Amino acid sequence: MSAPIIRVKNLRKVYKVGGEYVVALDDVSFEVPTGQVCCIVGTSGSGKSTLLNQLAGLEKPTRGEVFIGKRDISRFSEDRLAKFRQKYIGFIFQSYNLMASMTALENVSLPLIFRGADKTLREKAARKILSEVGLKERLAHTPAQMSGGQQQRVGIARAFVANPKIVFADEPTGNLDSRTTMEVMRMMVGLCRRHNQTLILVTHDPNLAKYADRIITILDGNITSDMENRSIAFDDEDDMTIEETEVNGQ
């Protein structure tokens, strides 16, 4: 078992809603080893999105600690958190969050601008990862010229281009059909396997959880189940490369 890259200790998050206090997370503790594909699954209002926000440093806990590596990010200032996320973390969103006026190449290059990489290095890295996700013929296309599946591939490439330690995916296939969902999930798992990166997937869909190495179920702010899982990512095609998932029109 790899050393933990994420450690959560006695995490509690309470929101004030009107005159009442709502407990979104209640004394949550767990660890995630490096390179694991971990799925946090739960229904709407279960606390799963709040937990993702805590792990990514997007919100401060009411109590408890969140360690990434040896760093307690729950104690970081907002400025330090922003720099930390730029260096170590990637995000994949349900709604893609691409810049409409930018090409696929420009969208994927964007995180490297904040790293201070020059244009030649940015474009080289962006071309490489876009090729890995099967979009080497779509570099000059804008989001409006691509299908939903292709846009999410661009989103995946953008999340991985800077070689982050951890990638957070929030309902990444919520806008995709079932076939494209399968391709996107295989793609994300394959990239993590290839580069020994950790993927934290948050979803309400138990079918997506089947692609993970581990499934954490959360309900009413508490972990109700935490179990290892044999990922189905490549059950049918064990030797499938990421490039071979390209399907015309997807």
Side-chain angles (χ1 to χ4, degrees):
M1 180 70 71
S2 301
I5 192 167
I6 297 174
R7 289 181 294 139
V8 177
K9 294 184 176 182
N10 306 116
L11 196 63
R12 182 176 173 85
K13 181 65 178 180
V14 180
Y15 296 103
K16 188 174 183 181
V17 180
E20 298 183 357
Y21 291 92
V22 177
V23 179
L25 295 173
D26 188 13
D27 200 34
V28 171
S29 298
F30 63 96
E31 296 182 350
V32 179
T34 300
Q36 186 174 76
V37 178
C38 178
C39 181
I40 299 169
V41 64
T43 57
S44 178
S46 62
K48 63 184 186 300
S49 294
T50 299
L51 181 54
L52 180 144
N53 290 340
Q54 299 291 315
L55 298 179
L58 298 174
E59 294 182 12
K60 295 284 190 182
T62 303
R63 190 175 69 223
E65 300 167 317
V66 177
F67 285 85
I68 295 186
K70 296 181 179 179
R71 300 172 179 89
D72 181 0
I73 67 167
S74 55
R75 299 182 183 275
F76 281 10
S77 66
E78 291 302 320
D79 183 61
R80 190 178 179 191
L81 272 171
K83 292 177 180 176
F84 183 84
R85 285 193 293 265
Q86 287 173 14
K87 189 172 182 180
Y88 296 109
I89 293 175
F91 292 95
I92 301 170
F93 305 96
Q94 177 178 345
S95 56
Y96 320 137
N97 285 16
L98 303 179
M99 301 296 290
S101 62
M102 290 185 173
T103 65
L105 186 68
E106 290 167 339
N107 266 289
V108 175
S109 299
L110 198 58
L112 298 175
I113 293 176
F114 302 111
R115 292 272 193 104
D118 64 40
K119 186 176 181 181
T120 300
L121 290 176
R122 293 199 306 266
E123 292 190 350
K124 181 180 179 181
R127 284 192 182 93
K128 181 177 184 296
I129 192 69
L130 281 165
S131 179
E132 284 194 70
V133 300
L135 291 178
K136 62 183 177 182
E137 306 299 329
R138 305 279 182 171
L139 303 183
H141 286 61
T142 62
Q145 296 171 312
M146 293 183 284
S147 68
Q150 289 166 345
Q151 289 183 62
Q152 190 59 297
R153 290 173 187 230
V154 175
I156 291 168
R158 180 185 56 192
F160 281 92
V161 69
N163 196 31
K165 299 292 186 185
I166 305 169
V167 174
F168 292 101
D170 189 4
E171 300 283 5
T173 64
N175 292 332
L176 305 177
D177 61 46
S178 58
R179 182 171 183 173
T180 310
T181 290
M182 180 179 69
E183 294 163 4
V184 164
M185 290 304 301
R186 285 176 169 177
M187 194 173 296
M188 289 192 297
V189 173
L191 284 166
C192 288
R193 295 279 190 268
R194 186 174 296 185
H195 302 292
N196 194 34
Q197 290 162 301
T198 304
L199 175 64
I200 306 296
L201 168 68
V202 172
T203 184
H204 70 281
D205 186 351
N207 290 317
L208 258 61
K210 296 175 183 178
Y211 289 86
D213 304 317
R214 176 183 180 189
I215 303 170
I216 295 175
T217 303
I218 188 168
L219 179 66
D220 296 332
N222 293 279
I223 291 176
T224 58
S225 174
D226 184 350
M227 59 184 182
E228 299 296 317
N229 180 65
R230 183 186 181 279
S231 173
I232 66 168
F234 304 114
D235 273 0
D236 297 328
E237 302 173 72
D238 291 336
D239 59 349
M240 185 184 73
T241 62
I242 291 170
E243 290 84 352
E244 289 170 340
T245 66
E246 176 67 11
V247 175
N248 291 333
Q250 297 297 331

